[in-house]
Amino acid sequence: MEFFCYHRDRPGSLALREELREAHWSYMDRYADELIARGPTFADNGETLTGSVHIVDLPDPAAARAFAFDEPNYQAGAYRDVLLRRWRNLLGRTMWDFPGGRTGGNRYLVLGLGTGEAADLVVPPDEDDLIAYGPLLSDDGTAWLGTAALVRAPDPDRARSVLTRDRYAAVEVHEWEFGGRR
């Protein structure tokens, strides 16, 4: 089962995150074979960390909750909240398989929180700039709760356009970059 996990930073937690960087990476190393995508998000200035995205393939919702809430930054209070949802990998690949590579162009997390009838359940026609893409689902996988995508795009508006307009209660666009050890 695939899960989307977005740890949002607590304001003022940068020093704590820097202090725990090795502990965080060591923790993620334990999940290296299960990770589909990972990386930090940034404020509009492109420098201030705002959170961490992890898309991971785990056996069940209990394992996903353990992954999300045992993470060292979470345990130390660096995150203000966690969005954890089942996710379906419509591209069938990891970020490391993205043809565009780790660098080049702007990268974004596009997070659409759904309401009502499901939308965007198929890969958009121009998938060359999609790093990861899929619906957010309830724990049992039956209810559509939104869509999460990692996208290469020239600007936030273009990144946002990967989701159908007016089909979401809210859409967030965050600058994002490939994560992990370099």
Side-chain angles (χ1 to χ4, degrees):
M1 289 181 192
E2 298 150 335
F3 295 87
F4 174 87
C5 180
Y6 185 32
H7 291 96
R8 295 174 194 267
D9 283 12
R10 182 177 307 283
S13 66
L14 180 59
L16 181 57
R17 283 197 58 177
E18 288 175 352
E19 177 184 325
L20 294 169
R21 179 175 294 144
E22 181 55 38
H24 168 77
W25 282 354
S26 293
Y27 182 81
M28 290 302 152
D29 287 347
R30 295 174 24 203
Y31 292 93
D33 292 340
E34 291 84 14
L35 283 166
I36 296 167
R38 66 183 286 191
T41 59
F42 298 88
D44 292 340
N45 66 15
E47 296 178 18
T48 304
L49 284 170
T50 60
S52 290
V53 172
H54 299 95
I55 303 175
V56 63
D57 190 355
L58 294 168
D60 54 48
R65 283 189 289 279
F67 169 83
F69 298 113
D70 290 345
E71 194 277 337
N73 288 316
Y74 180 82
Q75 289 292 309
Y79 299 130
R80 71 175 166 100
D81 62 55
V82 179
L83 174 66
L84 179 63
R85 295 285 183 261
R86 284 269 306 266
W87 186 76
R88 188 173 306 124
N89 186 355
L90 295 183
L91 297 177
R93 65 178 186 224
T94 71
M95 72 179 200
W96 297 278
D97 300 321
F98 172 59
R102 289 181 67 101
T103 59
N106 300 324
R107 314 297 172 103
Y108 299 93
L109 163 64
V110 181
L111 183 58
L113 303 177
T115 182
E117 191 175 329
D120 299 320
L121 296 176
V122 297
V123 177
D126 183 15
E127 67 181 81
D128 292 345
D129 289 324
L130 295 176
I131 300 162
Y133 183 89
L136 299 168
L137 305 166
S138 59
D139 277 357
D140 65 5
T142 61
W144 175 81
L145 303 173
T147 305
L150 299 173
V151 180
R152 178 179 59 188
D155 57 59
D157 289 336
R158 282 291 234 351
R160 194 303 177 199
S161 71
V162 74
L163 300 184
T164 304
R165 284 221 178 274
D166 302 325
R167 295 301 302 274
Y168 294 87
V171 175
E172 302 174 19
V173 179
H174 303 271
E175 291 189 24
W176 173 84
E177 69 180 33
F178 276 58
R181 297 183 192 273
R182 296 189 188 342

